[in-house]
Amino acid sequence: MEGVDHLADERNKADFDVEQMKIVWAGSRHAFDLSDRISRLVATDPVFRKDDRTMLGRKELFKNTLRKAAHAWKRINELRLTEEEAYKLRFFVDQPAFTDLHWGMFVPAIKGSGTDEQQQKWLPLAYKMQIIGCYAQTELGHGSNVQGLETTATFDPKTDEFVIHSPTLTSSKWWPGGLGKISTHAVVYARLITNGKEHGVHGFIVQLRSLDDHSPLPGITVGDIGMKFGSGAYNSMDNGVLRFDNVRIPRNQMLMRFSQVTREGKFVHSSVPRQLVYGTMVYVRKTIVTDASIALSRAVCIATRYSAVRRQFGSQNGGIETQVIDYKTQQARLFPLLASAYAFRFVGEWLNWLYTDVTQRLQVNDFSTLAEAHACTAGLKSLTTSATAASSLNLQDGIEECRKLCGGHGYLNSSGLPELFAVYAPACTYEGDNYVLLLQVARHLMKTVSQLDSGNKPTGTTAYLGQVEKLLQYRSDVQRAEDWLEPNVLLKAFEARAAWLSVACAQNLSKFTNPEDGFQALSADLAEAAVAHCQLIVVSKFLEKLQQDIPGKGVKQQLQVLCGVYALFLLHMHLGEFLSAGCITPKQGSLANEQLRSLYSQVRPNAIALVDAFNYTDHYLGSVLGRYDGNVYPKLYEEAWKDPLNESIVPDGFHEYVQPILKQQLRNARL
């Protein structure tokens, strides 16, 4: 029935302050109020409608995206939104567009790598969107290996210009969003060559298209790379291909904050420390971790609400059937993902602090925490995106598991889950392939372990390795299931497991004459050590969150339950590593499972309220199954009739192809 809250009984079961939990999830009262106001502004604007997106053809979808981007820019200016508010508006429009790369990559690249003069020239144009930019780094032949890029930028001292060139097919820029059809400019990454000598990869501002008629400039070949995975999804983005045929640009369009080329062609380093570029990297990766919590929470919200609506089996004498959410198998698959969403949210908050700390240190030339910050942001990007999408890295399938938790209806585009998965899946690859990033973390861990004997005391997230001898001897004293709820018991077990894996890898590496040969041979083991280290970070930051003063009836208690679910689920899934480390016994592992089952029962009455705390509008959630009011079946039926195939009773092609079969008018049949 329209207007009836079919999940009201579920919401009445909650034994905590849901409104306060919304603020905890948002991070602050200000953040909650901002998100709530802007999300409702978007949801009530008919231009931002998206329920028909997966039924649009590519051209129609792309035009629809341009319309929304233009309308968003119009509303931002009409309402005089702040930069923070404008970001939120584009976020809640929830449709990948060229503006994502303009604001998220092009502008930060100029701010991060441009000189004051370059920023004064280019940023006003970008802020007013008088130019539209993208970030052209990845090539057809090289992605993760940035130093392998083939595009060249050769300085010509006769004309004071750089010649940008694509010497091979594989040097074609490939994948940059916004490049295919819209961007007028790009920050292009190319191998700098002066006086016949290479000086590594640098960024250059290159105009691609005319500002008069939008046609490609001479020497530039540019277009879209084609359809991508899924319906709707990332196909609203014009990921592009770009080739240069000796394109000339002025010398001052090389981004020169960290290094310059003089008028005579001499390559010189500036006085600005190059390490400052890491601040941008930390910013991008902490944003990706936060996005992981959002994407996973959307999927979990849909699956949880639908699991409470859906009933199947269990009726006695024709009575009401059992809610799917009451089946223990459903809880064991769903509730760890709910806990993970909260865990990723809180580690994302900590990364915000880390970014501020790193930025402040860089401003006074303090680079002491850079290596550690690089390692943990790389690892957490890998861990959270893998768990959110679908990956063997974490033994969790995130969004894909939520789709399966919704049964057959989860496969419908109207469930919102197929498109959500298709949009999110690339996160496992962009800004660093997840396995490549894990191996970067592993290198940091191996370096840390190798320096222990020299007296170098580990800091930050690797500080526990300073107690490696004690951790290798650690034996848990858990005797009862509830002992696993003690924060220090959880923390020590995860520290001991991570330390054991790192030390075991270091010992095995020492057996190789050539360390790089060893690193290649042991890469799978090293990745597992990195995962253990990153999972420890997430558990420790969740526990630290619980040490804060958290107001609201029952809020902290619910977070304690979710923290227990997250940690004990990981222990259960990686039990072999904990046992091999010797930090727990098989009996203690069984007690952990017993406690985990108990925690599931505590989550159950609060499950709907816990996903309500995400405060997503139905528009943003984009799912018939995840509707706030739980009115699923009438809306599913209604959505079915909106499909273009149902616009005619008899489909196109029937009379031409199928009717002759029915009328047996085919000739030469041998049946």
mmCIF file of all heavy atoms in Angstrom, residues 275-306:
data_model
loop_
_atom_site.group_PDB
_atom_site.id
_atom_site.type_symbol
_atom_site.label_atom_id
_atom_site.label_comp_id
_atom_site.label_asym_id
_atom_site.label_seq_id
_atom_site.Cartn_x
_atom_site.Cartn_y
_atom_site.Cartn_z
ATOM 1 N N GLN A 275 58.662 15.699 -2.466
ATOM 2 C CA GLN A 275 57.821 14.845 -1.614
ATOM 3 C C GLN A 275 56.425 15.423 -1.395
ATOM 4 O O GLN A 275 55.507 14.709 -0.992
ATOM 5 C CB GLN A 275 58.493 14.624 -0.246
ATOM 6 C CG GLN A 275 59.741 13.748 -0.304
ATOM 7 C CD GLN A 275 61.007 14.578 -0.456
ATOM 8 O OE1 GLN A 275 60.958 15.656 -1.044
ATOM 9 N NE2 GLN A 275 62.108 14.090 0.065
ATOM 10 N N LEU A 276 56.261 16.720 -1.675
ATOM 11 C CA LEU A 276 54.945 17.336 -1.478
ATOM 12 C C LEU A 276 53.871 16.681 -2.338
ATOM 13 O O LEU A 276 52.690 16.736 -2.015
ATOM 14 C CB LEU A 276 55.017 18.834 -1.793
ATOM 15 C CG LEU A 276 55.770 19.714 -0.785
ATOM 16 C CD1 LEU A 276 55.818 21.144 -1.275
ATOM 17 C CD2 LEU A 276 55.130 19.642 0.592
ATOM 18 N N VAL A 277 54.292 16.075 -3.445
ATOM 19 C CA VAL A 277 53.323 15.424 -4.333
ATOM 20 C C VAL A 277 52.608 14.280 -3.621
ATOM 21 O O VAL A 277 51.490 13.903 -3.978
ATOM 22 C CB VAL A 277 54.012 14.917 -5.624
ATOM 23 C CG1 VAL A 277 54.844 13.674 -5.361
ATOM 24 C CG2 VAL A 277 52.984 14.673 -6.721
ATOM 25 N N TYR A 278 53.237 13.726 -2.568
ATOM 26 C CA TYR A 278 52.617 12.628 -1.843
ATOM 27 C C TYR A 278 51.370 13.080 -1.084
ATOM 28 O O TYR A 278 50.499 12.283 -0.770
ATOM 29 C CB TYR A 278 53.620 11.992 -0.873
ATOM 30 C CG TYR A 278 54.634 11.105 -1.558
ATOM 31 C CD1 TYR A 278 55.904 11.584 -1.878
ATOM 32 C CD2 TYR A 278 54.324 9.797 -1.898
ATOM 33 C CE1 TYR A 278 56.836 10.776 -2.516
ATOM 34 C CE2 TYR A 278 55.244 8.981 -2.536
ATOM 35 C CZ TYR A 278 56.497 9.476 -2.842
ATOM 36 O OH TYR A 278 57.409 8.678 -3.478
ATOM 37 N N GLY A 279 51.297 14.371 -0.766
ATOM 38 C CA GLY A 279 50.107 14.868 -0.098
ATOM 39 C C GLY A 279 48.865 14.653 -0.941
ATOM 40 O O GLY A 279 47.810 14.256 -0.432
ATOM 41 N N THR A 280 48.987 14.900 -2.259
ATOM 42 C CA THR A 280 47.869 14.681 -3.171
ATOM 43 C C THR A 280 47.495 13.208 -3.235
ATOM 44 O O THR A 280 46.313 12.843 -3.255
ATOM 45 C CB THR A 280 48.231 15.191 -4.585
ATOM 46 O OG1 THR A 280 48.579 16.569 -4.505
ATOM 47 C CG2 THR A 280 47.069 15.009 -5.546
ATOM 48 N N MET A 281 48.522 12.347 -3.247
ATOM 49 C CA MET A 281 48.279 10.906 -3.308
ATOM 50 C C MET A 281 47.505 10.427 -2.079
ATOM 51 O O MET A 281 46.556 9.636 -2.188
ATOM 52 C CB MET A 281 49.604 10.168 -3.408
ATOM 53 C CG MET A 281 49.488 8.658 -3.439
ATOM 54 S SD MET A 281 51.005 7.900 -2.844
ATOM 55 C CE MET A 281 51.036 8.455 -1.150
ATOM 56 N N VAL A 282 47.906 10.919 -0.889
ATOM 57 C CA VAL A 282 47.208 10.544 0.340
ATOM 58 C C VAL A 282 45.755 11.015 0.269
ATOM 59 O O VAL A 282 44.836 10.292 0.666
ATOM 60 C CB VAL A 282 47.918 11.135 1.577
ATOM 61 C CG1 VAL A 282 47.095 10.894 2.842
ATOM 62 C CG2 VAL A 282 49.306 10.520 1.737
ATOM 63 N N TYR A 283 45.537 12.225 -0.269
ATOM 64 C CA TYR A 283 44.181 12.775 -0.385
ATOM 65 C C TYR A 283 43.306 11.894 -1.275
ATOM 66 O O TYR A 283 42.169 11.560 -0.917
ATOM 67 C CB TYR A 283 44.240 14.189 -0.955
ATOM 68 C CG TYR A 283 42.882 14.759 -1.265
ATOM 69 C CD1 TYR A 283 42.083 15.303 -0.258
ATOM 70 C CD2 TYR A 283 42.366 14.734 -2.563
ATOM 71 C CE1 TYR A 283 40.824 15.807 -0.535
ATOM 72 C CE2 TYR A 283 41.110 15.232 -2.848
ATOM 73 C CZ TYR A 283 40.344 15.772 -1.826
ATOM 74 O OH TYR A 283 39.088 16.251 -2.106
ATOM 75 N N VAL A 284 43.835 11.518 -2.427
ATOM 76 C CA VAL A 284 43.056 10.717 -3.375
ATOM 77 C C VAL A 284 42.696 9.371 -2.761
ATOM 78 O O VAL A 284 41.541 8.919 -2.850
ATOM 79 C CB VAL A 284 43.841 10.525 -4.694
ATOM 80 C CG1 VAL A 284 43.141 9.509 -5.587
ATOM 81 C CG2 VAL A 284 43.983 11.852 -5.425
ATOM 82 N N ARG A 285 43.660 8.732 -2.112
ATOM 83 C CA ARG A 285 43.404 7.391 -1.581
ATOM 84 C C ARG A 285 42.486 7.405 -0.367
ATOM 85 O O ARG A 285 41.677 6.496 -0.191
ATOM 86 C CB ARG A 285 44.728 6.699 -1.274
ATOM 87 C CG ARG A 285 45.442 6.287 -2.565
ATOM 88 C CD ARG A 285 46.752 5.593 -2.310
ATOM 89 N NE ARG A 285 47.372 5.194 -3.579
ATOM 90 C CZ ARG A 285 48.645 4.873 -3.725
ATOM 91 N NH1 ARG A 285 49.455 4.907 -2.673
ATOM 92 N NH2 ARG A 285 49.126 4.515 -4.900
ATOM 93 N N LYS A 286 42.570 8.433 0.445
ATOM 94 C CA LYS A 286 41.649 8.491 1.594
ATOM 95 C C LYS A 286 40.225 8.720 1.099
ATOM 96 O O LYS A 286 39.262 8.227 1.695
ATOM 97 C CB LYS A 286 42.107 9.541 2.595
ATOM 98 C CG LYS A 286 42.026 10.995 2.164
ATOM 99 C CD LYS A 286 40.798 11.704 2.694
ATOM 100 C CE LYS A 286 40.799 13.185 2.362
ATOM 101 N NZ LYS A 286 39.560 13.857 2.736
ATOM 102 N N THR A 287 40.087 9.452 -0.025
ATOM 103 C CA THR A 287 38.765 9.646 -0.618
ATOM 104 C C THR A 287 38.214 8.323 -1.141
ATOM 105 O O THR A 287 37.020 8.029 -0.993
ATOM 106 C CB THR A 287 38.841 10.669 -1.763
ATOM 107 O OG1 THR A 287 39.366 11.901 -1.262
ATOM 108 C CG2 THR A 287 37.472 10.921 -2.374
ATOM 109 N N ILE A 288 39.079 7.502 -1.732
ATOM 110 C CA ILE A 288 38.651 6.203 -2.259
ATOM 111 C C ILE A 288 38.175 5.285 -1.133
ATOM 112 O O ILE A 288 37.192 4.556 -1.280
ATOM 113 C CB ILE A 288 39.791 5.542 -3.058
ATOM 114 C CG1 ILE A 288 40.051 6.325 -4.354
ATOM 115 C CG2 ILE A 288 39.474 4.087 -3.382
ATOM 116 C CD1 ILE A 288 41.237 5.835 -5.147
ATOM 117 N N VAL A 289 38.855 5.327 0.012
ATOM 118 C CA VAL A 289 38.445 4.500 1.155
ATOM 119 C C VAL A 289 37.061 4.934 1.643
ATOM 120 O O VAL A 289 36.197 4.094 1.928
ATOM 121 C CB VAL A 289 39.481 4.579 2.292
ATOM 122 C CG1 VAL A 289 38.960 3.899 3.557
ATOM 123 C CG2 VAL A 289 40.794 3.934 1.857
ATOM 124 N N THR A 290 36.854 6.240 1.740
ATOM 125 C CA THR A 290 35.540 6.743 2.144
ATOM 126 C C THR A 290 34.474 6.322 1.137
ATOM 127 O O THR A 290 33.367 5.901 1.519
ATOM 128 C CB THR A 290 35.565 8.270 2.268
ATOM 129 O OG1 THR A 290 36.528 8.644 3.262
ATOM 130 C CG2 THR A 290 34.208 8.821 2.669
ATOM 131 N N ASP A 291 34.794 6.404 -0.151
ATOM 132 C CA ASP A 291 33.853 5.973 -1.194
ATOM 133 C C ASP A 291 33.530 4.487 -1.076
ATOM 134 O O ASP A 291 32.411 4.059 -1.390
ATOM 135 C CB ASP A 291 34.433 6.268 -2.579
ATOM 136 C CG ASP A 291 34.450 7.760 -2.898
ATOM 137 O OD1 ASP A 291 33.810 8.535 -2.164
ATOM 138 O OD2 ASP A 291 35.132 8.151 -3.870
ATOM 139 N N ALA A 292 34.505 3.689 -0.632
ATOM 140 C CA ALA A 292 34.263 2.253 -0.446
ATOM 141 C C ALA A 292 33.201 2.032 0.619
ATOM 142 O O ALA A 292 32.293 1.201 0.453
ATOM 143 C CB ALA A 292 35.565 1.544 -0.062
ATOM 144 N N SER A 293 33.290 2.777 1.705
ATOM 145 C CA SER A 293 32.288 2.622 2.771
ATOM 146 C C SER A 293 30.911 3.025 2.270
ATOM 147 O O SER A 293 29.898 2.411 2.637
ATOM 148 C CB SER A 293 32.675 3.456 3.999
ATOM 149 O OG SER A 293 32.498 4.841 3.771
ATOM 150 N N ILE A 294 30.864 4.039 1.408
ATOM 151 C CA ILE A 294 29.574 4.499 0.882
ATOM 152 C C ILE A 294 28.983 3.470 -0.075
ATOM 153 O O ILE A 294 27.805 3.107 0.035
ATOM 154 C CB ILE A 294 29.744 5.856 0.187
ATOM 155 C CG1 ILE A 294 30.103 6.932 1.211
ATOM 156 C CG2 ILE A 294 28.471 6.245 -0.570
ATOM 157 C CD1 ILE A 294 30.566 8.233 0.601
ATOM 158 N N ALA A 295 29.783 2.970 -1.007
ATOM 159 C CA ALA A 295 29.280 1.986 -1.973
ATOM 160 C C ALA A 295 28.823 0.712 -1.269
ATOM 161 O O ALA A 295 27.759 0.158 -1.583
ATOM 162 C CB ALA A 295 30.364 1.662 -2.999
ATOM 163 N N LEU A 296 29.626 0.243 -0.314
ATOM 164 C CA LEU A 296 29.258 -0.977 0.405
ATOM 165 C C LEU A 296 28.002 -0.743 1.237
ATOM 166 O O LEU A 296 27.106 -1.604 1.288
ATOM 167 C CB LEU A 296 30.416 -1.433 1.298
ATOM 168 C CG LEU A 296 30.187 -2.725 2.092
ATOM 169 C CD1 LEU A 296 29.826 -3.881 1.159
ATOM 170 C CD2 LEU A 296 31.426 -3.074 2.914
ATOM 171 N N SER A 297 27.908 0.421 1.874
ATOM 172 C CA SER A 297 26.731 0.697 2.712
ATOM 173 C C SER A 297 25.465 0.779 1.872
ATOM 174 O O SER A 297 24.387 0.384 2.331
ATOM 175 C CB SER A 297 26.929 1.987 3.511
ATOM 176 O OG SER A 297 27.067 3.113 2.666
ATOM 177 N N ARG A 298 25.556 1.280 0.652
ATOM 178 C CA ARG A 298 24.388 1.308 -0.228
ATOM 179 C C ARG A 298 23.908 -0.107 -0.523
ATOM 180 O O ARG A 298 22.702 -0.401 -0.451
ATOM 181 C CB ARG A 298 24.724 2.022 -1.540
ATOM 182 C CG ARG A 298 24.913 3.508 -1.417
ATOM 183 C CD ARG A 298 25.365 4.142 -2.725
ATOM 184 N NE ARG A 298 24.330 4.139 -3.753
ATOM 185 C CZ ARG A 298 24.465 4.695 -4.942
ATOM 186 N NH1 ARG A 298 25.622 5.279 -5.272
ATOM 187 N NH2 ARG A 298 23.485 4.659 -5.819
ATOM 188 N N ALA A 299 24.839 -0.977 -0.881
ATOM 189 C CA ALA A 299 24.481 -2.367 -1.181
ATOM 190 C C ALA A 299 23.904 -3.062 0.046
ATOM 191 O O ALA A 299 22.907 -3.796 -0.044
ATOM 192 C CB ALA A 299 25.706 -3.113 -1.697
ATOM 193 N N VAL A 300 24.523 -2.827 1.183
ATOM 194 C CA VAL A 300 24.069 -3.454 2.435
ATOM 195 C C VAL A 300 22.685 -2.937 2.819
ATOM 196 O O VAL A 300 21.836 -3.704 3.302
ATOM 197 C CB VAL A 300 25.084 -3.184 3.564
ATOM 198 C CG1 VAL A 300 24.491 -3.531 4.923
ATOM 199 C CG2 VAL A 300 26.367 -3.980 3.331
ATOM 200 N N CYS A 301 22.446 -1.649 2.603
ATOM 201 C CA CYS A 301 21.132 -1.076 2.911
ATOM 202 C C CYS A 301 20.045 -1.761 2.081
ATOM 203 O O CYS A 301 18.984 -2.139 2.607
ATOM 204 C CB CYS A 301 21.161 0.426 2.634
ATOM 205 S SG CYS A 301 19.644 1.295 3.076
ATOM 206 N N ILE A 302 20.310 -1.934 0.790
ATOM 207 C CA ILE A 302 19.347 -2.603 -0.095
ATOM 208 C C ILE A 302 19.099 -4.030 0.363
ATOM 209 O O ILE A 302 17.947 -4.464 0.513
ATOM 210 C CB ILE A 302 19.863 -2.589 -1.549
ATOM 211 C CG1 ILE A 302 19.924 -1.161 -2.087
ATOM 212 C CG2 ILE A 302 18.984 -3.468 -2.447
ATOM 213 C CD1 ILE A 302 20.696 -1.015 -3.393
ATOM 214 N N ALA A 303 20.180 -4.776 0.594
ATOM 215 C CA ALA A 303 20.050 -6.195 0.955
ATOM 216 C C ALA A 303 19.386 -6.374 2.315
ATOM 217 O O ALA A 303 18.610 -7.322 2.516
ATOM 218 C CB ALA A 303 21.429 -6.856 0.942
ATOM 219 N N THR A 304 19.678 -5.490 3.253
ATOM 220 C CA THR A 304 19.097 -5.617 4.597
ATOM 221 C C THR A 304 17.601 -5.338 4.573
ATOM 222 O O THR A 304 16.800 -6.094 5.144
ATOM 223 C CB THR A 304 19.807 -4.648 5.569
ATOM 224 O OG1 THR A 304 21.205 -4.949 5.602
ATOM 225 C CG2 THR A 304 19.242 -4.788 6.978
ATOM 226 N N ARG A 305 17.214 -4.258 3.928
ATOM 227 C CA ARG A 305 15.778 -3.934 3.873
ATOM 228 C C ARG A 305 14.997 -5.007 3.130
ATOM 229 O O ARG A 305 13.919 -5.434 3.575
ATOM 230 C CB ARG A 305 15.579 -2.568 3.208
ATOM 231 C CG ARG A 305 15.980 -1.396 4.097
ATOM 232 C CD ARG A 305 15.857 -0.067 3.379
ATOM 233 N NE ARG A 305 16.174 1.052 4.271
ATOM 234 C CZ ARG A 305 16.351 2.304 3.871
ATOM 235 N NH1 ARG A 305 16.241 2.607 2.576
ATOM 236 N NH2 ARG A 305 16.630 3.254 4.739
ATOM 237 N N TYR A 306 15.548 -5.463 2.019
ATOM 238 C CA TYR A 306 14.828 -6.486 1.270
ATOM 239 C C TYR A 306 14.772 -7.803 2.050
ATOM 240 O O TYR A 306 13.759 -8.512 2.002
ATOM 241 C CB TYR A 306 15.482 -6.712 -0.092
ATOM 242 C CG TYR A 306 14.760 -7.747 -0.925
ATOM 243 C CD1 TYR A 306 13.430 -7.561 -1.311
ATOM 244 C CD2 TYR A 306 15.391 -8.926 -1.305
ATOM 245 C CE1 TYR A 306 12.762 -8.513 -2.060
ATOM 246 C CE2 TYR A 306 14.730 -9.885 -2.059
ATOM 247 C CZ TYR A 306 13.405 -9.670 -2.432
ATOM 248 O OH TYR A 306 12.744 -10.621 -3.160
#
